[in-house]
């Protein structure tokens, strides 16, 4: 574990730690920041479509809207400022694009604008991916 090895900004020239893939929650980022001594930044994405969102300096997760169309769906309808299932559509994939791909994450697509000044939408991730159990295991 990093904290036991005392690896961090004093032993490595780190400016920040960027987590990729599934969203990293506050209690997890606290451990990482304590172990490394630098700021943790969330990068939200998945293998299938790549980068979906990136955290700004105001700690909001902005949707990479130039590449991904993100929808939050609740009871079969798109919702804003309400919790639902996150679905994404790739905007630039030429072969086998993922369309309304359900990640298994739950979140809120926010109508509020971020104080960082970016116009990209904000997504709040509320719970991570449901573990998909193999029916044959
Ligand atoms: Zn922002």
């Amino acid at each position: 574990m990093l904290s036991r090895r005392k690896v961090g900004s004093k032993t490595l020239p780190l400016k920040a730690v960027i987590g990729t893939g599934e969203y990293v929650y506050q209690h997890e980022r606290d451990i990482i920041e304590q172990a490394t001594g630098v700021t943790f930044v969330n990068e939200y994405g998945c293998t299938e479509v790549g980068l979906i969102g990136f955290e700004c300096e105001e700690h909001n997760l902005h949707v990479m809207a130039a590449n991904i169309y993100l929808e939050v769906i609740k009871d079969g309808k798109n919702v804003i400022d309400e919790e639902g299932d996150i679905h994404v559509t790739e905007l630039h994939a030429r072969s086998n694009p993922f369309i309304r791909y359900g990640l298994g994450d739950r979140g809120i697509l926010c109508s509020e604008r971020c104080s960082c000044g970016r116009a990209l939408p904000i997504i709040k991730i509320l719970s991570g991916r449901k573990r998909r159990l193999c029916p044959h295991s």
Side-chain angles (χ1 to χ4, degrees), residues 56 62 114 116:
C56 73
H62 288 277
C114 185
C116 76

Side-chain angles (χ1 to χ4, degrees), residues 5-82:
R5 293 183 182 183
K6 300 197 184 306
V7 173
S9 61
K10 293 178 183 165
T11 55
L12 294 173
L14 300 175
K15 294 183 178 175
V17 173
I18 299 172
T20 186
E22 292 190 42
Y23 189 78
V24 176
Y25 296 97
Q26 187 63 49
H27 69 281
E28 298 165 321
R29 68 186 301 148
D30 289 346
I31 294 169
I32 295 167
E33 288 179 347
Q34 186 176 23
T36 62
V38 296
T39 301
F40 181 84
V41 179
N42 260 313
E43 177 190 299
Y44 176 60
C46 68
T47 302
E48 294 88 339
V49 302
L51 182 61
I52 298 170
F54 210 89
E55 183 181 336
C56 73
E57 61 273 24
E58 298 296 327
H59 303 292
N60 284 314
L61 191 63
H62 288 277
V63 176
M64 299 292 102
N67 301 322
I68 293 289
Y69 182 69
L70 186 142
E71 298 170 279
V72 174
I73 298 176
K74 177 182 176 184
D75 299 326
K77 296 179 182 173
N78 286 27
V79 292
I80 295 178
D81 295 326
E82 289 184 53

Side-chain angles (χ1 to χ4, degrees), residues 44 52 63 68-89 100-103 105-111 121-126:
Y44 176 60
I52 298 170
V63 176
I68 293 289
Y69 182 69
L70 186 142
E71 298 170 279
V72 174
I73 298 176
K74 177 182 176 184
D75 299 326
K77 296 179 182 173
N78 286 27
V79 292
I80 295 178
D81 295 326
E82 289 184 53
E83 181 180 352
D85 296 319
I86 297 172
H87 289 72
V88 293
T89 298
R100 301 190 105 186
Y101 180 66
L103 298 171
D105 292 342
R106 296 198 41 93
I108 298 173
L109 188 59
C110 302
S111 61
I122 297 170
I123 182 77
K124 294 187 185 303
I125 308 299
L126 302 174

